[in-house]
Amino acid sequence: MQKSASSLVLGQGGLDIAQSFFKPIHGASPPPPTRRTTKISVIGVGNVGMAIAQTILTQDLADELALVDVDQGKLRGEMLDLQHAAAFLPRITISASVDYSSTVGSDILIVTAGARQIPGESRLNLLQRNLALFSTIIPPLSAASPEAILLIVSNPVDVLTYVAWKLSGFPPNRVIGSGTNLDSSRFRFLIADHLNINAQDVQAYIMGEHGDSSVALWSSISVGGVPIISFLERQKIAYEKQTLEKIHKEVVQGAYEVIGLKGYTSWAIGYSVANLARTILRDQHKVHPVSVLAKGLYGIDDGEVFLSLPTQLGRNGVLGVTNLQLTEEESRQLKNSATTILEVQRQLGI
């Protein structure tokens, strides 16, 4: 499925004419026996998976992009559709296969595959089906690329990142969930929109569960280096807590609103995950709020749980977690968020 024969040869009798078409310059040394390339694999070619793949292509993040899905027809269609844009994109090898062995040698394995919720189905039953699905996906992926970074996007992302960690046998620094990276972007956008400034000038995090129990860190928000809450208090500018809670609620409900309007989310999560891939592959040491093993951090000691914390990322995955000073209320909410996720894991028996 990766390439047709006609894309490799043009000469009579199947002769590869590339060597005739291009002449080497005088005195040129032969190419090295190996060349380090960057490979990203995306598992699941639904709306989210393809938005991620398209963003990876346009941002020139990899030399190879491998697509994997169980739907062979759609898979080939998506591959061809991307390949046909070759004249407008950086040079990249795009492959597609139903076989996980096609992901061998990946630097990052991005998992977006997941079971769809059946109308009337309980969240717990959906989770059990996703657990069964992950048990068929994660082991062959980790075997094909034992040094890769596993980046889980499938929802519920925190629980499934924990599942992926257990199934892969990878060290926890190389298993990451997309977590609240996108939630934090929504948060920054809403704050910027209220203040009529650029969202890139807003430093703000959503921590905890990627879901209803997430925690908005109001105490650490800054704009252009100025802490917002302490600035308002020093200037004796009144603000209502209800306004802050409304903004956080809009963050939580953001995805539901998009799904209600267009049927699914895609572009924002595509940019979010590509942003994480860039930080990892280029060893940028940037801080992102992503789902990581939180045991022993921020007073979370009740069990092994993955939730979003401001995390420094690089070529080896998780490099460290920032030590933010939370208010008592934020700390309590974060622990409650961890408890919420742990309860789901216990219901699943994992």
Side-chain angles (χ1 to χ4, degrees), residues 1-3 39-45 50 64-83 93-103:
M1 186 180 293
Q2 296 184 12
K3 287 185 179 180
K39 180 175 181 178
I40 298 176
S41 293
V42 177
I43 295 80
V45 297
M50 290 313 300
E64 297 180 53
L65 176 65
L67 306 176
V68 179
D69 199 280
V70 294
D71 187 337
Q72 189 164 353
K74 177 173 171 54
L75 188 62
R76 178 167 174 78
E78 295 288 9
M79 178 193 71
L80 291 173
D81 206 8
L82 291 177
Q83 287 179 336
T93 300
I94 304 171
S95 65
S97 177
V98 296
D99 193 336
Y100 295 114
S101 64
S102 66
T103 66

Side-chain angles (χ1 to χ4, degrees), residues 101-119:
S101 64
S102 66
T103 66
V104 68
S106 294
D107 296 282
I108 302 182
L109 299 161
I110 301 174
V111 181
T112 72
R116 294 196 177 200
Q117 191 163 16
I118 301 168

Side-chain angles (χ1 to χ4, degrees), residues 50-73:
M50 290 313 300
I52 293 169
Q54 188 267 350
T55 312
I56 286 169
L57 287 177
T58 56
Q59 295 189 4
D60 194 15
L61 297 182
D63 303 298
E64 297 180 53
L65 176 65
L67 306 176
V68 179
D69 199 280
V70 294
D71 187 337
Q72 189 164 353

Side-chain angles (χ1 to χ4, degrees), residues 44-238:
V45 297
N47 296 316
V48 171
M50 290 313 300
I52 293 169
Q54 188 267 350
T55 312
I56 286 169
L57 287 177
T58 56
Q59 295 189 4
D60 194 15
L61 297 182
D63 303 298
E64 297 180 53
L65 176 65
L67 306 176
V68 179
D69 199 280
V70 294
D71 187 337
Q72 189 164 353
K74 177 173 171 54
L75 188 62
R76 178 167 174 78
E78 295 288 9
M79 178 193 71
L80 291 173
D81 206 8
L82 291 177
Q83 287 179 336
H84 294 168
F88 317 115
L89 294 169
R91 186 169 184 260
I92 185 172
T93 300
I94 304 171
S95 65
S97 177
V98 296
D99 193 336
Y100 295 114
S101 64
S102 66
T103 66
V104 68
S106 294
D107 296 282
I108 302 182
L109 299 161
I110 301 174
V111 181
T112 72
R116 294 196 177 200
Q117 191 163 16
I118 301 168
E121 182 180 29
S122 69
R123 185 187 184 209
L124 183 59
N125 192 68
L126 174 64
L127 270 168
Q128 288 170 334
R129 291 199 295 124
N130 273 318
L131 179 59
L133 179 64
F134 264 47
S135 68
T136 67
I137 292 175
I138 302 301
L141 286 177
S142 54
S145 302
E147 301 301 320
I149 306 292
L150 257 176
L151 180 49
I152 308 302
V153 184
S154 311
N155 279 315
V157 68
D158 302 298
V159 175
L160 291 180
T161 304
Y162 171 82
V163 169
W165 174 51
K166 288 296 187 181
L167 290 172
S168 68
F170 282 8
N173 62 292
R174 290 200 284 113
V175 183
I176 302 164
S178 56
T180 59
N181 196 53
L182 176 52
D183 306 62
S184 297
S185 176
R186 291 186 180 120
F187 194 32
R188 293 168 67 185
F189 161 73
L190 290 169
I191 294 168
D193 196 44
H194 274 72
L195 299 176
N196 193 28
I197 59 169
N198 193 310
Q200 293 185 357
D201 291 322
V202 178
Q203 185 85 2
Y205 293 121
I206 299 289
M207 289 173 65
E209 178 196 18
H210 172 58
D212 295 344
S213 72
S214 65
V215 183
L217 297 189
W218 289 104
S219 66
S220 63
I221 293 175
S222 65
V223 175
V226 179
I228 286 292
I229 299 300
S230 60
F231 172 80
L232 294 175
E233 291 171 348
R234 284 198 311 271
Q235 299 296 318
K236 295 183 170 45
I237 299 174

Side-chain angles (χ1 to χ4, degrees), residues 291-311:
S291 192
V292 297
L293 182 62
K295 185 176 181 181
L297 300 169
Y298 290 95
I300 300 168
D301 298 309
D302 293 337
E304 294 175 333
V305 61
F306 278 70
L307 50 72
S308 287
L309 302 173
T311 303

